[in-house]
Amino acid sequence: MSGVTLSGVKKSYGSVEVLHGIDLDIQPGEFVVFVGPSGCGKSTLLRMIAGLEEITAGTLEIDGRVVNSLTPKERGIAMVFQSYALYPHMTVYENMAFGLSLGRNTPKSEIDRRVREAAEILQITPYLDRRPKELSGGQRQRVAIGRAITRDPRVFLFDEPLSNLDAALRVATRLEIARLAERMSDTTMVYVTHDQVEAMTLADRIVVLNQGMIEQFGTPMELYRNPANLFVARFIGSPSMNIVPGVFSPEDNGFAIALEAGERIHISRPLPGTGGPGYIGLRPEDTTLVAEEGALFAGKVMMTEPLGEVTLAYVDIGREETPFVVKLPGEPNIKRGDFVFLGAEEDCLHLFDADGRRVREMAV
């Protein structure tokens, strides 16, 4: 089992620095997912681990050994690309065997065993004699994963492997990757995606990147329940967390939050910090319809989106920027134009200071 440690890792292209001193310790056998907006540096970071991009500064260790100057082949890694990168003139079997037969002196019997074992794991044994053009996108991606498996890597890297697949194939292939991770529990896996559903369902821990820096590193539920700042709060969760600016001030039995629209929310807990400007966050799924006397927010329904098991309601609570989104079970009896009152349990409220940093831990 091999861990991956990055210490002060930077990446620059000329005078432009795209990664700003990344410190990260990925444990042996861990499944870690990099997420973040386009251009945040997640794929660049993965390619630096793979040895496909040079490290400008800092050190990268795999299994306790500094590998900055080692080639990809010498690092004991295998990588699955977004584009599959299969040889079109080779059969599935030949594609999966190619890396083993290239200058490794691996016996043919051992190559055959590894290829057929990987094919069995990924349920592609019936396709071993076919060429890539005869396969669906999901089958091609499984072949690419199988080719990586045959190398018996110490570290397994995935660069947005499902982004070229349609929705149904993404779900099916995601399940394949989850089963693969369970079977290869001794192998460290690092996975890049822009899809937070993939991140939340696959990861042991998630790295949230933004503008070349780590915003937070933790388990999926740590990020969801206790986002370190406004960026993580907005990025993790779908629909994203509702964020409302306000001013915190102490009261006899707790504190109050005065909102821009004039409402005043009373919280029966000690005031975190010294008060002043800040933000209150509330997830759509933690919000309920309540009577007026129990309301935190109130407003007119702008639109509803019935999705079957849930309905999304977009409510104008007096903010100019964006509506307040509520996720309600089933088909609630509300429609466009209705005036509604919204409430939530105090423990569901997320509080952030004026700089967007979390000021109170929430129950998980």
Side-chain angles (χ1 to χ4, degrees):
M1 297 175 69
S2 300
V4 178
T5 301
L6 297 95
S7 303
V9 168
K10 297 182 180 181
K11 178 62 181 179
S12 299
Y13 295 101
S15 61
V16 179
E17 188 172 274
V18 296
L19 289 173
H20 312 288
I22 300 295
D23 294 308
L24 190 60
D25 188 13
I26 300 172
Q27 296 299 308
E30 194 170 25
F31 195 128
V32 169
V33 177
F34 296 168
V35 297
S38 296
C40 70
K42 55 187 183 294
S43 288
T44 300
L45 186 57
L46 189 80
R47 290 174 63 84
M48 290 165 72
I49 295 172
L52 301 176
E53 292 275 0
E54 289 187 3
I55 296 173
T56 304
T59 59
L60 168 64
E61 297 178 39
I62 296 178
D63 197 20
R65 179 176 63 152
V66 176
V67 298
N68 289 41
S69 59
L70 298 186
T71 66
K73 181 180 177 181
E74 294 170 320
R75 296 186 183 197
I77 58 97
M79 189 164 179
V80 177
F81 297 90
Q82 177 181 343
S83 60
Y84 318 138
L86 301 176
Y87 294 104
H89 62 286
M90 293 184 182
T91 65
V92 168
Y93 184 101
E94 290 167 341
N95 267 283
M96 292 173 65
F98 183 73
L100 292 175
S101 59
L102 192 65
R104 286 170 168 257
N105 297 320
T106 307
K108 287 187 177 181
S109 60
E110 176 65 10
I111 293 174
D112 185 72
R113 183 191 67 79
R114 291 196 193 181
V115 169
R116 295 190 182 279
E117 186 177 273
E120 186 68 25
I121 291 171
L122 296 166
Q123 302 177 51
I124 53 175
T125 301
Y127 312 122
L128 287 175
D129 293 329
R130 297 188 187 182
R131 286 183 166 76
K133 68 179 180 180
E134 301 173 85
L135 306 176
S136 69
Q139 290 165 344
R140 291 180 199 177
Q141 193 56 281
R142 278 188 277 168
V143 173
I145 293 170
R147 178 180 56 191
I149 291 174
T150 61
R151 297 186 58 190
D152 193 22
R154 292 187 294 171
V155 180
F156 212 148
L157 308 178
F158 297 85
D159 189 8
E160 301 201 44
L162 309 186
S163 59
N164 285 339
L165 307 181
D166 62 33
L169 278 175
R170 275 203 306 272
V171 172
T173 310
R174 188 172 73 231
L175 290 173
E176 294 286 350
I177 291 173
R179 281 196 288 263
L180 174 66
E182 193 172 315
R183 294 189 65 159
M184 299 179 65
S185 59
D186 287 346
T187 302
T188 303
M189 297 190 178
V190 184
Y191 189 106
V192 164
T193 182
H194 63 275
D195 185 336
Q196 62 172 277
V197 174
E198 288 177 35
M200 294 291 285
T201 56
L202 290 173
D204 294 320
R205 288 195 291 171
I206 297 173
V207 178
V208 181
L209 289 157
N210 181 35
Q211 297 182 344
M213 295 181 289
I214 295 176
E215 296 283 355
Q216 192 170 357
F217 182 30
T219 68
M221 292 314 296
E222 284 173 350
L223 270 58
Y224 179 81
R225 290 296 180 193
N226 294 301
N229 52 46
L230 284 177
F231 180 84
V232 179
R234 290 185 172 116
F235 194 83
I236 298 295
S238 182
S240 63
M241 184 183 290
N242 296 294
I243 304 294
V244 181
V247 177
F248 304 160
S249 59
E251 288 189 332
D252 288 343
N253 297 315
F255 67 98
I257 306 171
L259 306 180
E260 286 183 341
E263 298 99 329
R264 195 171 178 85
I265 298 174
H266 300 273
I267 306 295
S268 58
R269 293 193 176 195
L271 174 66
T274 58
Y279 300 87
I280 182 172
L282 185 58
R283 293 206 178 275
E285 55 271 33
D286 290 332
T287 312
T288 58
L289 300 179
V290 297
E292 182 176 359
E293 58 269 20
L296 298 175
F297 305 99
K300 185 178 290 186
V301 177
M302 302 168 61
M303 184 179 74
T304 61
E305 288 183 342
L307 302 176
E309 64 175 339
V310 299
T311 295
L312 299 182
Y314 297 83
V315 181
D316 180 3
I317 64 168
R319 294 186 301 161
E320 295 182 0
E321 307 89 9
T322 55
F324 196 99
V325 184
V326 186
K327 183 185 285 189
L328 301 167
E331 300 178 52
N333 186 26
I334 59 171
K335 61 184 183 301
R336 180 178 177 181
D338 286 352
F339 195 87
V340 295
F341 298 97
L342 308 175
E345 297 293 330
E346 282 189 10
D347 281 350
C348 294
L349 299 177
H350 301 257
L351 305 179
F352 304 90
D353 65 18
D355 295 322
R357 295 173 303 219
R358 185 176 195 84
V359 294
R360 180 162 68 90
E361 291 299 312
M362 310 303 296
V364 177

